[in-house]
Amino acid sequence: MSDIILHKGREKSVFRRHPWIFSGGIARVNGNPQGGEIVTVRAENGKFLARGYWNQRSQIQVRILTWDDEPIDHNWWRKMFTRAINGRKHITSTAYRLINAESDFLAGLIVDKYGDWLVLQALTLAIDLIKKDLAELLMELTGARGVYERSDVDVRGKEGLKSSVGVLAGEAPPNPIIVDEGVKLAVDVYGGHKTGTYLDQRQNRALVGELIYSQPHLTTVLNLFSYTGGFSIHALHHPQAYVVNVDASADALMLARENMRLNRIDEARAEYIQADVFDDLRARMTANELYDVVILDPPKFAHAQSQVEKAARGYKDINLNAFKLVKSGGYLFTFSCSGAINADLFQKIVFGALEDSGREAQVIRVLGASDDHPVALSFPEGAYLKGLMLRVY
């Protein structure tokens, strides 16, 4: 096994159990590790620090798997998978994240559960090399009927990898898969966003439903970037609620209609508008429309630190117009899934939009991802989803 020797002083992040070692922290490499190979990380004096996997092509050259001097073998993967699975046993939804990469101390691996099927994303070279073995182990531990791969994300390019999709083990999943998170949702794991849908918003969708059901006067809902209508289906559990769904994707809106039928909701209680949300927002503001609840769940605006300034302008624009569409005493649910924009910056952006709107607002709740998306305290980068539940006057 090759040794990765760190520069003096660069071991501090390893002591803090951060899982990434960048190229600039490495003094030398003893041996000739191949991409994806397990390596030992040592301090300048040779002291053992951690063990992880190597990829010289990546800016993050070592991703740590363990801080103990133990082998990374089949039994180790079984132990870590079992721990992640046991940590989700309380979840009653039939769709949730089973393994959350670095935040489950399994760098580079995402696994989502949709009913009897698992969907796997191999984000790094090392995981890609062993993904079939991992899929077989996951089937054994979960009883899943099959594991489907959705490794079609841009981040793989930084590891020298191309997109990869297809069945890894067992049976191919149906299309769509029908899941139950308190409401029924149809999920397209073949072509849907992420691994099929936004599992990280599961508890926030339920929160919207609970709010509207508990306050009967909240009847009109504007769901922006509505995708397949998950927030809308929860909102429509209130028998008097009416929802306007706005999204740029005709396919997503078609699946939103299917979700209405699955839950036996009268289609007359919803609108489906295919439009650019920025343009639609401005048009509604010009028309002086008002809604009891506005939901603003845009896609990622900042994919890198260099895009933060432009993304901030985009977030401010849509929040400014959204504030103007909320009835006095109504609610705005606003989100950002851009990891490059932290929670403090996001709240400042929303405050700036509020200030320019001339409205007043209270933070009722600070929101994040569902509890199947834990964030390791040593890996704050994992807290990518942030949101605010605001009461607006």
Side-chain angles (χ1 to χ4, degrees):
M1 188 181 299
S2 299
D3 288 340
I4 309 302
I5 311 301
L6 302 186
H7 287 293
K8 187 175 182 180
R10 292 299 186 95
E11 68 276 7
K12 290 180 181 177
S13 69
V14 183
F15 289 145
R16 293 170 181 161
R17 299 208 165 206
H18 193 280
W20 294 350
I21 296 176
F22 292 87
S23 57
I26 297 173
R28 65 184 186 276
V29 178
N30 292 343
N32 184 31
Q34 301 303 300
E37 186 177 314
I38 299 296
V39 295
T40 296
V41 180
R42 298 187 183 277
E44 187 187 43
N45 62 5
K47 180 182 177 182
F48 175 90
L49 296 175
R51 191 157 284 138
Y53 57 76
W54 170 258
N55 187 355
Q56 190 173 11
R57 296 186 62 175
S58 174
Q59 186 182 8
I60 304 169
Q61 293 195 334
V62 180
R63 294 178 192 258
I64 296 173
L65 294 174
T66 181
W67 289 262
D68 297 324
D69 192 355
E70 60 181 338
I72 307 298
D73 55 14
H74 183 81
N75 289 333
W76 184 88
W77 287 102
R78 178 183 290 275
K79 174 188 72 174
M80 296 302 290
F81 282 1
T82 300
R83 187 167 85 171
I85 292 165
N86 288 342
R88 274 82 170 175
K89 282 190 172 178
H90 66 287
I91 297 173
T92 56
S93 171
T94 63
Y96 53 88
R97 177 147 296 180
L98 196 66
I99 295 172
N100 196 31
E102 278 84 347
S103 284
D104 271 310
F105 312 99
L106 291 162
L109 177 64
I110 285 174
V111 181
D112 290 337
K113 183 179 186 296
Y114 293 102
D116 292 330
W117 280 267
L118 304 178
V119 180
L120 181 150
Q121 282 187 336
L123 305 179
T124 58
L125 174 60
I127 299 299
D128 196 72
L129 291 171
I130 60 172
K131 61 189 177 185
K132 288 187 178 294
D133 291 336
L134 298 183
E136 293 286 353
L137 178 57
L138 284 163
M139 283 190 63
E140 177 192 336
L141 294 174
T142 64
R145 292 174 61 178
V147 181
Y148 187 77
E149 181 180 14
R150 277 290 304 275
S151 301
D152 52 358
V153 289
D154 292 342
V155 70
R156 279 172 60 92
K158 297 178 180 179
E159 292 274 315
L161 297 170
K162 296 179 180 179
S163 292
S164 179
V165 298
V167 176
L168 285 175
E171 303 173 28
N175 191 20
I177 299 176
I178 308 303
V179 300
D180 189 335
E181 61 172 32
V183 302
K184 292 180 180 178
L185 296 175
V187 178
D188 174 10
V189 301
Y190 292 91
H193 293 181
K194 303 187 89 170
T195 63
T197 194
Y198 294 96
L199 295 175
D200 50 5
Q201 290 282 25
R202 174 174 52 86
Q203 289 174 313
N204 295 325
R205 289 192 287 266
L207 176 62
V208 167
E210 291 164 9
L211 171 73
I212 293 171
Y213 196 82
S214 67
Q215 299 191 38
H217 67 283
L218 302 175
T219 58
T220 56
V221 180
L222 178 61
N223 186 8
L224 300 163
F225 305 99
S226 60
Y227 191 46
T228 59
F231 279 105
S232 302
I233 299 300
H234 281 273
L236 288 164
H237 265 235
H238 178 350
Q240 301 303 316
Y242 182 87
V243 178
V244 178
N245 298 283
V246 184
D247 199 276
S249 168
D251 289 342
L253 292 171
M254 184 167 61
L255 206 50
R257 289 179 182 272
E258 174 63 21
N259 285 331
M260 291 280 286
R261 290 189 285 271
L262 273 175
N263 290 277
R264 299 182 179 179
I265 298 169
D266 184 354
E267 284 202 36
R269 295 176 57 202
E271 274 181 74
Y272 305 89
I273 309 297
Q274 184 186 359
D276 178 281
V277 172
F278 285 83
D279 294 339
D280 184 85
L281 261 172
R282 283 188 284 269
R284 292 180 191 278
M285 187 191 68
T286 301
N288 296 315
E289 295 185 12
L290 291 172
Y291 298 85
D292 295 307
V293 178
V294 175
I295 301 159
L296 199 52
D297 183 25
K300 185 185 293 186
F301 285 175
H303 294 268
Q305 198 64 37
S306 61
Q307 298 174 336
V308 166
E309 186 176 345
K310 181 180 179 182
R313 290 195 298 270
Y315 285 120
K316 184 175 180 181
D317 184 20
I318 58 175
N319 278 279
L320 169 61
N321 291 329
F323 273 123
K324 294 180 179 180
L325 294 177
V326 182
K327 290 180 183 178
S328 181
Y331 293 84
L332 172 63
F333 289 80
T334 182
F335 298 95
S336 165
C337 62
S338 298
I341 292 181
N342 64 34
D344 286 344
L345 176 56
F346 180 62
Q347 187 158 335
K348 287 175 182 175
I349 293 167
V350 175
F351 172 73
L354 174 71
E355 192 174 28
D356 289 353
S357 74
R359 305 296 297 274
E360 294 179 341
Q362 300 165 314
V363 177
I364 305 303
R365 289 198 194 182
V366 175
L367 305 173
S370 302
D371 59 5
D372 53 340
H373 290 64
V375 177
L377 275 174
S378 56
F379 186 67
E381 295 91 336
Y384 66 94
L385 180 65
K386 69 285 302 179
L388 297 168
M389 174 185 176
L390 304 169
R391 187 159 52 223
V392 183
Y393 294 100

